[in-house]
Amino acid sequence: MNKKNTRKIQKQDYNSTLQQLQVELVKLQSHIIKNNDKILIIFEGRDASGKDGTIKRIIQHLSPRETRVVALGKPSDRDLSTWYFQRYTSHLPAAQEMVLFNRSWYNRAGVERVMGFCSDEEYHEFIETVALYEQLLVRSGIRLLKYYLDISETEQKRRLKAREQDPLNQWKSSPIDKAAPKYWPQYSEARNIMFARTHHLTAPWTVVRADDKEAARINIIKDMLFRLDYKGKEEALILPDSNIIFNYEEAYLLNGMIAH
C-alpha cells in the first residue's frame, strides 16, 4: 500500500463513474426494500473532511421515504439528562431503511473530549460501552458501517479558509470549526484512542484518505456497494482502491497512511 494517493481522478471520469455508482445504489436500495434490511452508515472525520459532500452524492437519486440523514445539533438539557445513546437510538433504521449519520455518538470520543464538553467520567463510560452498544445493534439485525474521513492538516486549513470565503457554504463555519486547526494534535490523539478502543470485529472502522474529495466519494460508495448485499452487482465497477480506503490498523498511524 502506497503512502501517496493515486493520481487525482479526472472530472469527466469522476462524473461518469459517479453516475454508474449511483445506478448501483438504486439497485442496492431496491434490495434493501424488498428484503426488509436495516442499514446504518456512520460518517466521522475532522471538520471539513468531506462528510456532507459524500452523503449528498450517496442519497442524490435514492427514495427519500426509505433514506434518512441524521445530523444532530447541540444536545438539549433533556438530552443531557438521559442515557448518552438515547438520542441516537431513536433515529436508528427500521426495516427497508438506510440511515446515514453525519457525525454520531462518536462526538463523545472527538469534539466533546477535545473541547471539554463532557467529563472524564462520561468519556471513559462511553469508551467502555460503545462496542457493547454496537454489538446490540448488529445482533438486532442492523447492518452497520463506520467510515472515518481522514485529511491532512494543510488540507483542513485550506478547506476551512475556503468555506469562510464562500457565501454558499458560510453556514457550515462555526466557532468549533475555527478552533479546529489550533487543536490539531489533540484531535489526532483523540482519534487514535478512538480507533484503538472502538475498532472491533462486529463494527470495524474503515479509514478514507480524503484529501482528494472526488476520489474519497467514489471509493466510499464503491466500498459500501462491495460490502452490502444486492442483486445484479457490477463487480468490476465496485472494487475500491486500497490506497484510498482500508480497514483501520495501528501500523497505518506509523507509516503515514493516516494523517498525523
Side-chain angles (χ1 to χ4, degrees), residues 29-84:
Q29 183 166 61
S30 296
H31 181 92
I32 292 169
I33 294 169
K34 183 177 180 181
N35 292 276
N36 291 320
D37 291 341
K38 295 178 282 188
I39 309 297
L40 177 61
I41 305 176
I42 287 175
F43 292 93
E44 290 289 343
R46 298 181 191 264
D47 294 316
S49 60
K51 298 179 291 296
D52 292 348
T54 298
I55 291 170
K56 179 180 177 181
R57 272 69 180 185
I58 292 170
I59 69 172
Q60 190 170 1
H61 298 289
L62 299 182
S63 166
R65 289 185 298 276
E66 290 86 14
T67 310
R68 288 190 288 117
V69 176
V70 178
L72 300 183
K74 183 180 177 181
S76 66
D77 289 343
R78 183 182 185 280
D79 291 330
L80 293 173
S81 72
T82 63
W83 178 47
Y84 177 68

Side-chain angles (χ1 to χ4, degrees), residues 40 68 70 72 78-79 82-94 97 99 101 105 133 137 142:
L40 177 61
R68 288 190 288 117
V70 178
L72 300 183
R78 183 182 185 280
D79 291 330
T82 63
W83 178 47
Y84 177 68
F85 294 104
Q86 190 165 325
R87 69 191 294 247
Y88 296 100
T89 303
S90 63
H91 296 281
L92 294 174
E97 286 186 338
V99 174
F101 273 54
W105 42 84
Y133 177 68
L137 300 187
I142 291 174

Side-chain angles (χ1 to χ4, degrees), residues 153 156-157 160 176-187:
E153 186 173 8
Q156 185 190 52
K157 288 178 179 177
L160 290 174
I176 292 176
D177 289 342
K178 292 175 182 178
K182 177 182 175 183
Y183 290 93
W184 180 272
Q186 291 88 339
Y187 274 110

Side-chain angles (χ1 to χ4, degrees), residues 9-20:
I9 189 170
Q10 297 298 313
K11 192 68 175 178
Q12 186 175 355
D13 293 339
Y14 166 71
N15 289 332
S16 173
T17 303
L18 178 61
Q19 186 175 40
Q20 294 176 70

Side-chain angles (χ1 to χ4, degrees), residues 212-248:
D212 182 338
K213 284 185 179 182
E214 286 80 12
R217 293 167 187 165
I218 290 295
N219 280 279
I220 288 171
I221 298 174
K222 285 184 175 184
D223 190 79
M224 285 173 51
L225 295 167
F226 184 81
R227 292 173 186 262
L228 298 172
D229 295 326
Y230 66 98
K231 289 186 176 180
K233 278 190 183 184
E234 293 289 341
E235 299 287 353
L237 174 66
I238 64 170
L239 191 63
D241 183 345
S242 61
N243 283 311
I244 296 174
I245 189 165
F246 46 88
N247 273 2
Y248 166 77

Side-chain angles (χ1 to χ4, degrees), residues 84-232:
Y84 177 68
F85 294 104
Q86 190 165 325
R87 69 191 294 247
Y88 296 100
T89 303
S90 63
H91 296 281
L92 294 174
Q96 304 186 358
E97 286 186 338
M98 180 164 68
V99 174
L100 301 92
F101 273 54
N102 187 346
R103 295 199 182 276
S104 66
W105 42 84
Y106 283 102
N107 272 340
R108 179 137 292 178
V111 65
E112 289 190 19
R113 177 62 168 171
V114 172
M115 302 302 292
F117 297 155
C118 67
S119 66
D120 287 347
E121 182 180 1
E122 289 169 331
Y123 168 75
H124 290 297
E125 173 69 13
F126 170 80
I127 287 293
E128 292 293 334
T129 60
V130 64
L132 298 173
Y133 177 68
E134 291 174 353
Q135 287 165 9
L136 288 174
L137 300 187
V138 174
R139 287 187 64 177
S140 77
I142 291 174
R143 187 76 164 86
L144 173 59
L145 302 179
K146 302 191 307 194
Y147 292 102
Y148 184 91
L149 280 66
D150 189 56
I151 56 175
S152 65
E153 186 173 8
T154 300
E155 180 64 11
Q156 185 190 52
K157 288 178 179 177
R158 187 193 69 78
R159 291 185 188 181
L160 290 174
K161 183 176 180 180
R163 178 181 289 180
E164 287 184 8
Q165 296 172 348
D166 184 348
L168 295 177
N169 282 310
Q170 285 176 353
W171 63 271
K172 292 183 179 181
S173 189
S174 70
I176 292 176
D177 289 342
K178 292 175 182 178
K182 177 182 175 183
Y183 290 93
W184 180 272
Q186 291 88 339
Y187 274 110
S188 293
E189 182 182 13
R191 175 203 62 191
N192 297 349
I193 294 171
M194 179 189 78
F195 282 154
R197 298 295 301 276
T198 67
H199 177 74
H200 53 97
L201 286 174
T202 306
W205 277 107
T206 301
V207 181
V208 188
R209 301 174 73 195
D211 274 9
D212 182 338
K213 284 185 179 182
E214 286 80 12
R217 293 167 187 165
I218 290 295
N219 280 279
I220 288 171
I221 298 174
K222 285 184 175 184
D223 190 79
M224 285 173 51
L225 295 167
F226 184 81
R227 292 173 186 262
L228 298 172
D229 295 326
Y230 66 98
K231 289 186 176 180

Side-chain angles (χ1 to χ4, degrees), residues 1-8 152 209-212 215 241-246 252 255-259:
M1 198 177 287
N2 298 322
K3 289 185 181 182
K4 292 186 179 295
N5 274 337
T6 53
R7 65 177 179 84
K8 282 182 72 71
S152 65
R209 301 174 73 195
D211 274 9
D212 182 338
D241 183 345
S242 61
N243 283 311
I244 296 174
I245 189 165
F246 46 88
Y252 298 147
N255 70 5
M257 289 292 291
I258 298 174

